Structures are given as structure tokens and as C-alpha cells.
Amino acid sequence: MVQHTKTGVALVGSGSAHLPIAVTNDDLSQVVETSDEWIATRTGIRQRYIATQQESLVSLATSAGTAALEMSNTQPTDVDLIILATSTPDDLFGSAAQVQANLGASHAVAFDLTAACSGFLFALVTAAQYMRTGVYKTVLVIGADVLSRWTDWSDRRTCVLFGDGAGAVVLKASDRDRLLGFDLRSDGTLNGCLNLPYQADSQALTSDKTVQKGTYQPVTMNGKEVYRFAVKRVPEIIEKALFHAGLSTDGIDWLLLHQANQRILDAVAERLNVPKDRVISNMGRHGNTSAASIPLALDEAVRDGRIKAGDVIASSGFGAGLSWGAAIFEWG
């Protein structure tokens, strides 16, 4: 393996997939007992996008990756590593290699990373470690999920929250490290608060032996517990990441959180004393897209000119596991 001399990390391109089908709150009011006002007041969500029959996790991830490579003027054959953060792969054996093939990134190694709504941030930090050791110099990190597959559309507590999406960033080796600080955490004692569980179904194999051939069940969530967890833990871990970066909240340009619930974003921003106009949110249009939410919101803000080269971003992902993390990085 060739060692490269540049061991800093620069985030140089972003991309996202564009889904054609939006499901509005009014649409959901025809499915469950709810209303646009009820959903928007409690979550900030007005609509969410869902994948069509022709789309897949791989196709969405490929679209996002292609857009990120194009923005960064990177040829697919220059990519050394692809990390696909997803909890909803097309294939339980992994979907990253299919994305690698679709992109034509023939020199890249590719693997899936599963950490649900924390997945993109965990993948970003993982990618940086390969680069800081000098092993890889160009990495594509993709966050993608198709939660519509695993949503109970008769459960109004969860079906109003989730949408499908994909976002990606390109990382390149640099003389100056733009990943300024990070911190990652997990607490498995809270695992039962948010799950997409496997449920076994016993079937006779022989006269005295059985096998467990079940399937995965729709998403379940204890919304109150997840809210309390996020409002407490996310500001703490952002402050720890800022400490590692040698910064305070006054030194950041943007707060970019996993898009779980607008009330969580507002509460975290208030605790950190970050003005609302420095909080990036696309919650109203996309809902909770799990691992896709951070890179999707990032890409929109880069493309519409809000985020500019040199801007410092404090980002945090949080969710199933329960897991949470924060990263402070400079864009461009």
C-alpha cells in the first residue's frame, strides 16, 4: 500500500439524490388520523420524499456520489475508498460494492457502515482515520437510507417522521487538516428506544431441530426518550468536539444537526447559544432521512450559496444504538 505525504483531510465536494415523489402531510391525513397542522407543529415537517419502484438504495447512493464527484472535479477511478452509511441496504451482505461498480470507481475498496442516524458522521470520522495515516488520499462518503421500506404507515407516531434520501461528500488529502475536532459515543443500555428489529419465526428443520426464519419489522421508537436523550447529549458532545478543535460556538459559522425533529434543532441551538439564522434545516421538505440527512442538508446549503469555502461547521448525528457524535470541520 502506497503511503501518501499529505495526511490532512479536506471536504471538497458534495452531492445528493433527487427523488420525484413527495408525500405531503395532507397525503398522510388520508392514511392515518393526523393533519398538516398536527405534524408541522410537533416536528417541523411538511413533506418527505419516497423512493419509487424503479429506485433503490444503490441507485440513490450512486446519484449522490456522482454529484459529489462532479462538484469536486474527481474522476471515479481516482477514488481510493467508498464508505456507504446505511441501515437499509438493498442486500444485507452490503450495497457499497454495487455503488462502487455503478460509479466506475474501479480502484476503490467499498464497504457499508451501519449506525442509523449517526451513520454519516461515524463514516466521515472513519474515513478521516484512513486518510490521516496516509493510506488513502481520495474518499467518497455516502449517507443513504430508504426508510419507507421499514415504516409502519398505520402508525402515526412514526410514519409522519421518515423519508428517503441520499447525500455524499468527497474527502481529499490536504496539507492542512479541515476536520478540526470530533467525538463519538454509544450507549447500548438505551438500545430499546429506537429499533428496526428482527423477529424470528421458528420452522421445523428436522424432527428435533428448528431454524429461525423471520424478517425485519417496521421501525419502532420511544419518541419522548429519544427527544430527552438528544436535547441533553447533543449539546454536550458538540461542546466536547469544539474543545478538541480549540474553538467555542462563537468560532463556528453553521450548526448542522441530523434532521430528526425541528424542536430538537431549536432546543440544541438554544442551549449552545447559536442564532437561528446559523442553523441549517431542511426538515420541512425532507423529514428524517436517517444517515442521509446531514449530507443532504449540507449539499443543499452549499449549492444555494449559504455555505462557502472556509466556513466552519459544527455537525452532530444522533439516533439508534443509541449512538451520537459530533464533528467540527471547515468546508472547502
Side-chain angles (χ1 to χ4, degrees):
M1 182 64 67
V2 176
Q3 296 291 114
H4 301 286
T5 55
K6 295 181 180 180
T7 57
V9 179
L11 293 87
V12 296
S14 63
S16 53
H18 298 283
L19 286 74
I21 305 299
V23 176
T24 67
N25 292 346
D26 288 334
D27 290 333
L28 289 181
S29 70
Q30 301 175 44
V31 180
V32 292
E33 186 180 346
T34 190
S35 68
D36 177 64
E37 181 184 8
W38 190 92
I39 298 169
T41 301
R42 289 160 177 77
T43 68
I45 301 168
R46 294 285 184 179
Q47 65 169 47
R48 69 288 297 146
Y49 290 92
I50 59 171
T52 65
Q53 188 174 2
Q54 291 72 39
E55 291 167 322
S56 64
L57 188 284
V58 167
S59 71
L60 297 183
T62 300
S63 294
T66 298
L69 291 173
E70 289 175 351
M71 179 186 285
S72 62
N73 295 313
T74 302
Q75 295 301 313
T77 50
D78 291 333
V79 178
D80 301 306
L81 169 66
I82 298 170
I83 303 179
L84 173 61
T86 186
S87 298
T88 56
D90 293 334
D91 184 337
L92 274 180
F93 285 169
S95 291
Q98 289 178 272
V99 176
Q100 178 249 12
N102 285 359
L103 290 171
S106 54
H107 299 152
V109 62
F111 62 84
D112 292 30
L113 183 152
T114 300
C117 302
S118 303
F120 175 78
L121 202 67
F122 279 36
L124 177 69
V125 171
T126 299
Q129 307 321 301
Y130 284 101
M131 300 179 74
R132 285 174 167 175
T133 59
V135 175
Y136 297 133
K137 64 178 183 179
T138 304
V139 180
L140 177 62
V141 179
I142 305 171
D145 271 305
V146 185
L147 289 171
S148 60
R149 293 173 174 172
W150 301 107
T151 297
D152 180 354
W153 294 100
S154 67
D155 179 5
R156 74 167 186 167
R157 297 169 299 177
T158 56
C159 77
V160 301
L161 300 174
F162 300 115
D164 302 335
V169 296
V170 173
L171 311 179
K172 288 193 176 181
S174 171
D175 291 326
R176 184 168 64 85
D177 201 345
R178 272 81 156 188
L179 180 59
L180 308 176
F182 69 86
D183 206 327
L184 306 176
R185 298 296 170 96
S186 298
D187 184 355
T189 65
L190 297 173
N191 178 262
C193 293
L194 182 54
N195 303 98
L196 200 169
Y198 175 83
Q199 182 173 306
D201 181 16
S202 296
Q203 296 182 18
L205 181 63
T206 65
S207 60
D208 61 343
K209 295 180 176 68
T210 60
V211 291
Q212 309 303 312
K213 281 192 65 176
T215 187
Y216 290 90
Q217 303 301 303
V219 176
T220 61
M221 182 173 67
N222 184 328
K224 290 182 179 180
E225 285 301 318
V226 171
Y227 178 84
R228 281 196 284 264
F229 148 77
V231 169
K232 179 181 179 182
R233 295 301 184 189
V234 172
E236 290 176 353
I237 204 160
I238 289 175
E239 288 174 338
K240 288 175 182 176
L242 284 167
F243 175 79
H244 295 318
L247 295 171
S248 68
T249 51
D250 292 337
I252 66 171
D253 296 293
W254 300 100
L255 180 63
L256 172 57
L257 305 180
H258 163 53
Q259 307 287 297
N261 186 308
Q262 188 63 45
R263 291 194 296 176
I264 293 176
L265 272 62
D266 293 342
V268 171
E270 183 177 357
R271 180 165 170 181
L272 293 171
N273 294 316
V274 175
K276 287 186 177 181
D277 62 359
R278 287 165 55 194
V279 180
I280 295 172
S281 173
N282 64 1
M283 183 81 58
R285 296 186 310 281
H286 293 279
N288 181 343
T289 56
S290 192
S293 75
I294 291 175
L296 181 56
L298 174 68
D299 182 53
E300 287 187 351
V302 168
R303 291 179 186 272
D304 69 19
R306 280 175 291 165
I307 293 178
K308 298 176 175 60
D311 282 0
V312 175
I313 301 165
S315 184
S316 179
F318 50 91
L322 291 179
S323 58
W324 65 107
I328 314 301
F329 59 88
E330 179 183 327
W331 180 253

